[in-house]
Amino acid sequence: MVSMSLHLLWTSADSLIVAFALASIVPRRHVLPLILMFGVCDALGSALGVSVPVAGGLAVVALISCGALLVLRLPVAHRLTQAAGWVYVLPPLLAMDNVVSHAPDHIGLVALSSAAMAGLGFSCGATALGWWNASPESGRSFAGACLLVAGSVLAFGG
């Protein structure tokens, strides 16, 4: 039971970190759909339970690349944050850790855990930004740093 709980927390941690990052750049109307996508995608990833090591690497590369673009404040980063559609690619990519590290978790618990962690991430991120009163540029840099952390967690922790 303890190993299942630790596995659920570990495979949901990326949803928490990425949602925390996205809180600074995603319009509020996208928050609930993204929370649901984090849960559903992680549940589907766990249900697949096949070994796809290249897919896990894709998630790491995508997170670190997006994070680096935002931290370095490259012009493409501004365009990236203006088009909210790119964030919908993140939940399926982050579900790859569930595919690669398949454990006998109940699919409903996986969905609930990831959705709850994403919801917590969005809430904490929005609260932190409210206290900080960050400019849009600072928000993008903050989001980039969080995406770099999420990519690193996925790369070195999984």
Side-chain angles (χ1 to χ4, degrees), residues 42-55:
D42 274 2
L44 290 173
S46 289
L48 288 175
V50 296
S51 181
V52 187
V54 172

Side-chain angles (χ1 to χ4, degrees), residues 59-103:
V60 169
V61 169
L63 288 173
I64 290 176
S65 298
C66 289
L69 289 173
L70 292 169
V71 166
L72 296 173
R73 298 179 180 193
L74 296 176
V76 71
H78 180 70
R79 287 190 298 263
L80 186 67
T81 58
Q82 297 304 309
W86 72 273
V87 298
Y88 287 96
V89 174
L90 295 176
L93 283 174
L94 293 177
M96 292 303 143
D97 63 339
N98 293 75
V99 173
V100 174
S101 66
H102 179 69

Side-chain angles (χ1 to χ4, degrees), residues 90-142:
L90 295 176
L93 283 174
L94 293 177
M96 292 303 143
D97 63 339
N98 293 75
V99 173
V100 174
S101 66
H102 179 69
D105 295 331
H106 186 273
I107 303 305
L109 286 176
V110 172
L112 183 60
S113 175
S114 291
M117 292 291 252
L120 180 62
F122 277 113
S123 296
C124 291
T127 301
L129 286 171
W131 287 337
W132 185 21
N133 287 330
S135 69
E137 192 61 40
S138 295
R140 283 191 286 275
S141 295
F142 174 75

